[in-house]
Amino acid sequence: MKIYNTLTRKKEEFVPIEEGKVRMYVCGPTVYNLIHIGNARPMIVFDTVRRYFEYKGYEVNYVSNFTDVDDKIIKKANEEGTTADVISQRYIAECKKDMEGMNIKPATTHPLATKEIPGMLDMIGTLIKKGHAYAKNGTVYFKTRSFDQYGKLSKKNIDDLEAGHRDEAHALKVSGADEKEDPLDFVLWKPKKDGEPYWEAEWSQGRPGWHIECSVMAKKYLGDTIDIHAGGEDLIFPHHENEIAQSECCNGVEFSRYWMHNAFLNINNKKMSKSEGNFFTVRDIAEHYDLGVLRFFMLSAHYRNPINFSRELMESAKNGLDRIMTAVSNLDELANVVTNEALTEEETKVLAEVKTCKDKFEASMDDDFNTADAISAIFDMVKLANSNANANSSKEFIKELRESIVTLSDILGLKVVKSEELLDADIENLIKERQEARKAKNFARADEIRDELLSKGIVLEDTREGVRWKRA
């Protein structure tokens, strides 16, 4: 199995630290609002990577954090007149709903930054003792130049960074710039401001910098050296570069063997932006499509290629997923009517072609998780099923075709077995119950009903005239 390693800029054979096991850390979202479809791409991509490792027999320790203390969370809390903890817990719960809708498996561990403060204090203390950090008026800075390999992930030259450190494109965005010994030093700990959450530390009452959080959580749950660190390519610099510097200076060993980064997602060929009016949350998409369609769309391109999101491409993804689901549904119907038991010679030849499709799927995934070509292999299987399965087929033939398509789809996290459809009357009854719950201000139950309907492919739209619904 080959992985493109951002660190070396080439594909490398994957060799785990411990045979049969994978230690994998994926940077999670900052929870101050509903996640957007840009957040969804790494979630889907690296969940699929994990699933494929597990299919190949690896035991995967998959850690993905929630950043639950941050300027944006504090700002949101102040706007609502509540606490940062209330905001973060609310949006962690909402994020988990969206992840479930996208069929993303829960991580082995979902650590929260606020629960890992003791480990952060220990790492910062170690960095100070080793001469890689210093405290000044309550703020602790990392001495960037003390790590002679700084820039090895992003391929940025430290002298070029110093020359352009005031340029926004290259800035290490930190507070207290005037107190730093070097413009490139970045914050490990910062003193509290009025109204902010804080923790006690020997340097000040304050909170950690963003970068130290992931270094500490990866170390605690996976070890000093991990197999794979992953995230969006926007995290390469400065976040992942700074993680490497902190971790390797503290621990004295290589931080991660392989670095994986997914490319950006654009909306109608433009960068997603609220000011452009092309900003979509996952919840926005769920109003129009089953989130399995979003997953299929994300996997239809190689993760290292930029992907363009548009209504037309989502419709194409919906049609593609429907093709697979329809083939499986047809095979289920045939399984109930066929009576022949033994495979025929012709069926054996077709199943050999199915095996070739499976080999193509695995070869694609072994080549840096090329999900686009893997999906193509599933479509080849669908074509074989549609062309060869009929009421005269044998039970074994139908079973083998179905299992092959469903198994490979499941590796990609694609649900292709149609759930039992709700009758129109059942839908109307649930909508009525939801309206009654809303009148009684039981919004939790109202949301539960909406989510239940959505999970069964029923999309609700609240209008002035009432509630409309349609099957996704």
Side-chain angles (χ1 to χ4, degrees):
M1 186 189 301
K2 289 186 181 294
I3 295 176
Y4 181 86
N5 190 349
T6 308
L7 187 66
T8 59
R9 297 293 196 269
K10 63 184 181 182
K11 288 182 188 177
E12 298 177 356
E13 191 69 30
F14 176 71
V15 181
I17 297 166
E18 189 175 353
E19 188 175 350
K21 296 186 178 182
V22 178
R23 306 173 196 177
M24 186 170 179
Y25 187 93
V26 180
C27 288
T30 301
V31 282
Y32 66 97
N33 211 328
L34 295 172
I35 60 169
H36 55 72
I37 57 175
N39 300 133
R41 191 175 193 193
M43 289 179 177
I44 290 168
V45 163
F46 298 117
D47 174 70
T48 305
V49 169
R50 171 201 186 167
R51 285 169 178 269
Y52 188 65
F53 272 123
E54 290 175 340
Y55 167 73
K56 297 284 274 190
Y58 286 93
E59 179 187 324
V60 183
N61 186 348
Y62 187 91
V63 178
S64 185
N65 69 300
F66 289 113
T67 297
D68 62 339
V69 58
D70 177 88
D71 290 340
K72 291 176 180 176
I73 297 171
I74 294 166
K75 181 174 182 286
K76 182 92 166 179
N78 291 338
E79 288 170 356
E80 294 192 12
T82 187
T83 65
D85 184 58
V86 167
I87 296 297
S88 61
Q89 288 301 317
R90 178 198 304 165
Y91 288 111
I92 286 171
E94 295 298 333
C95 179
K96 286 181 176 179
K97 283 184 192 175
D98 288 337
M99 290 168 72
E100 184 179 356
M102 295 184 289
N103 198 24
I104 292 165
K105 295 174 68 172
T108 311
T109 310
H110 276 298
L112 306 182
T114 55
K115 304 299 183 188
E116 307 297 339
I117 301 296
M120 296 176 204
L121 297 177
D122 286 346
M123 184 174 279
I124 293 169
T126 299
L127 289 169
I128 291 173
K129 284 176 189 171
K130 289 188 170 186
H132 294 293
Y134 59 93
K136 193 163 274 191
N137 294 328
T139 302
V140 182
Y141 300 95
F142 181 84
K143 287 184 179 180
T144 302
R145 287 186 182 274
S146 73
F147 181 55
D148 60 9
Q149 296 182 69
Y150 192 83
K152 67 178 179 177
L153 182 69
S154 61
K155 310 308 177 195
K156 292 183 182 293
N157 182 288
I158 198 162
D159 294 319
D160 291 340
L161 286 172
E162 183 176 30
H165 77 270
R166 296 188 186 279
D167 178 353
E168 187 68 15
H170 296 285
L172 292 171
K173 299 173 186 177
V174 297
S175 58
D178 294 336
E179 295 185 323
K180 290 188 285 185
E181 292 176 0
D182 186 298
L184 298 183
D185 295 347
F186 59 88
V187 168
L188 301 175
W189 185 265
K190 49 189 170 186
K192 68 168 184 174
K193 295 176 185 173
D194 288 342
E196 287 189 350
Y198 66 88
W199 289 264
E200 296 287 344
E202 61 182 279
W203 315 290
S204 64
Q205 292 179 328
R207 58 190 174 94
W210 175 36
H211 313 301
I212 197 74
E213 296 173 6
C214 288
S215 283
V216 167
M217 289 184 276
K219 176 183 173 73
K220 177 176 177 179
Y221 294 100
L222 297 170
D224 289 356
T225 300
I226 69 177
D227 290 298
I228 298 171
H229 198 311
E233 67 178 22
D234 56 313
L235 298 181
I236 295 173
F237 185 86
H239 185 49
H240 288 167
E241 196 72 72
N242 290 354
E243 276 191 69
I244 290 172
Q246 296 161 162
S247 296
E248 297 192 2
C249 286
C250 175
N251 303 328
V253 292
E254 182 182 25
F255 178 33
S256 180
R257 295 272 190 90
Y258 304 86
W259 289 84
M260 298 180 69
H261 295 93
N262 64 275
F264 289 119
L265 177 140
N266 295 316
I267 311 290
N268 294 318
N269 297 307
K270 290 183 179 179
K271 185 177 178 181
M272 186 166 65
S273 160
K274 286 183 180 176
S275 61
E276 287 280 345
N278 66 350
F279 183 91
F280 299 109
T281 65
V282 170
R283 206 65 58 86
D284 290 333
I285 303 306
E287 291 182 5
H288 303 283
Y289 297 96
D290 182 277
L291 290 180
V293 175
L294 181 64
R295 184 175 186 116
F296 185 91
F297 164 77
M298 293 288 188
L299 297 179
S300 295
H302 191 281
Y303 76 91
R304 284 192 291 111
N305 292 337
I307 189 169
N308 185 51
F309 179 94
S310 69
R311 173 79 64 173
E312 293 75 22
L313 291 171
M314 279 294 285
E315 283 295 324
S316 176
K318 181 179 183 298
N319 293 337
L321 185 57
D322 281 347
R323 273 179 63 199
I324 302 172
M325 294 178 75
T326 300
V328 173
S329 180
N330 290 341
L331 290 169
D332 283 336
E333 289 177 14
L334 285 171
N336 293 323
V337 298
V338 295
T339 56
N340 297 329
E341 294 290 343
L343 281 169
T344 67
E345 187 178 337
E346 189 58 39
E347 286 175 340
T348 302
K349 289 179 183 176
V350 173
L351 290 180
E353 292 183 61
V354 170
K355 173 66 166 59
T356 300
C357 295
K358 180 186 174 187
D359 292 343
K360 175 187 171 183
F361 177 96
E362 292 191 3
S364 300
M365 294 296 285
D366 284 343
D367 184 15
D368 193 33
F369 306 97
N370 189 336
T371 54
D373 284 357
I375 287 173
S376 172
I378 294 175
F379 278 136
D380 289 343
M381 280 189 180
V382 166
K383 189 175 178 180
L384 286 170
N386 291 343
S387 303
N388 295 280
N390 55 60
N392 295 317
S393 300
S394 68
K395 288 183 178 181
E396 186 65 22
F397 183 63
I398 298 297
K399 179 177 173 244
E400 288 287 334
L401 283 171
R402 183 191 186 279
E403 283 187 1
S404 297
I405 295 170
V406 172
T407 298
L408 298 193
S409 297
D410 186 60
I411 294 166
L412 300 182
L414 301 173
K415 292 181 178 179
V416 296
V417 179
K418 288 183 179 178
S419 54
E420 203 172 303
E421 279 200 352
L422 286 173
L423 297 174
D424 289 3
D426 295 330
I427 296 167
E428 295 292 351
N429 286 337
L430 282 168
I431 290 173
K432 184 179 177 182
E433 184 187 342
R434 177 174 174 264
Q435 288 172 313
E436 288 170 356
R438 293 176 76 179
K439 282 178 187 174
K441 298 192 183 307
N442 186 354
F443 299 114
R445 177 56 185 152
D447 287 344
E448 276 179 15
I449 293 169
R450 186 186 190 101
D451 293 340
E452 181 187 341
L453 288 168
L454 188 59
S455 72
K456 292 185 163 103
I458 308 302
V459 179
L460 300 186
E461 183 182 356
D462 293 307
T463 68
R464 288 181 182 177
E465 294 77 29
V467 181
R468 293 178 185 165
W469 63 269
K470 64 179 181 179
R471 297 187 191 273

